[in-house]
Amino acid sequence: MLHIVDDEEVIRDSLEWLAQSRSISVATYDSGAAFLAVLDKFSSFDPQGECVLLDVRMPDMSGAALFDLLTTRGLTQRMPVIFLTGHGDVPMAVDTLKRGAFDFFEKPFNDNTLMDRVEEALAASREAGAIAKVHDRLATLSAREREVLDLILAGKMNKVIADELGISMRTVEVHRAHIFDKMNVKTAVELARLLK
């Protein structure tokens, strides 16, 4: 989902049309406050990825202020931000990029170049979402399951794991089954690929 936050309706409409021409789903907002009002609805990762096209200068809340809020909430990995401005300068662009913006475009911009970057931001968002899901699954493992997981990833067989941890082989098998179930894998090879 591409979130377009710009106070100019004509810009929102043209960006929406441009994104839809590339089959990117879009939501538009006329202010930072309007975007913040619905932000909590996006509490989980969109499997298609998310990106925010953000105008720098808007009344009430500037794009920079909204970006700071997204950064404070730790959302800029999940929702990469691309700034748009008609009044930018090099120091402003450098500052936003240093603070974690995905990119910075001055109006007028090349439509294809902008949409290429949006697609790259959506891909980065999808990757961040996949990594977050793996971390969420890892968080469900008990301390003992984490120990068994580490030994499985080291390529050790159940008997060796049992000896090293001082538990029965049957207990290792139970832990192994729980790990595979929680991590949503069927084999140690899949598990290793998931956690590489």
Side-chain angles (χ1 to χ4, degrees):
M1 167 84 60
L2 174 61
H3 304 278
I4 300 169
V5 186
D6 196 304
D7 60 322
E8 293 182 56
E9 185 176 3
V10 68
I11 298 290
R12 288 192 313 271
D13 290 346
S14 66
L15 288 170
E16 181 177 19
W17 178 86
L18 192 58
Q20 288 173 340
S21 74
R22 292 212 185 181
S23 300
I24 299 171
S25 57
V26 180
T28 63
Y29 312 89
D30 61 3
S31 68
F35 178 68
L36 285 176
V38 299
L39 183 61
D40 292 332
K41 291 181 184 177
F42 307 108
S43 58
S44 62
F45 283 101
D46 182 332
Q48 299 304 310
E50 294 184 84
C51 173
V52 180
L53 279 181
L54 183 56
D55 187 18
V56 172
R57 289 192 182 177
M58 294 182 290
D60 300 327
M61 176 184 286
S62 71
L66 177 56
F67 178 69
D68 288 342
L69 282 171
L70 294 174
T71 302
T72 301
R73 292 186 184 185
L75 296 175
T76 54
Q77 289 292 320
R78 177 185 132 195
M79 298 178 135
V81 174
I82 298 174
F83 277 100
L84 301 173
T85 186
H87 311 283
D89 55 35
V90 172
M92 179 189 296
V94 170
D95 179 57
T96 58
L97 294 172
K98 278 185 179 177
R99 292 186 308 138
F102 193 81
D103 211 332
F104 189 97
F105 281 82
E106 268 193 285
K107 299 173 186 173
F109 45 79
N110 178 291
D111 294 350
N112 285 323
T113 303
L114 176 63
M115 284 299 112
D116 288 346
R117 286 301 282 163
V118 165
E119 288 178 336
E120 290 169 15
L122 291 169
S125 174
R126 285 190 297 274
E127 184 176 331
I131 291 168
K133 284 181 183 176
V134 169
H135 286 288
D136 289 347
R137 287 186 217 153
L138 282 171
T140 67
L141 299 179
S142 68
R144 179 60 89 180
E145 288 168 345
R146 287 300 297 252
E147 291 176 323
V148 172
L149 171 70
D150 291 340
L151 295 171
I152 290 170
L153 293 174
K156 300 196 176 181
M157 303 302 286
N158 288 353
K159 182 166 181 18
V160 175
I161 294 171
D163 289 344
E164 284 192 26
L165 296 179
I167 57 179
S168 74
M169 202 160 97
R170 177 68 187 134
T171 302
V172 172
E173 290 167 357
V174 169
H175 285 311
R176 186 183 198 105
H178 287 160
I179 292 165
F180 285 16
D181 185 51
K182 289 177 180 181
M183 297 305 294
N184 197 25
V185 297
K186 298 200 183 315
T187 67
V189 172
E190 281 183 67
L191 185 62
R193 272 194 209 121
L194 183 66
L195 298 175
K196 68 177 174 176

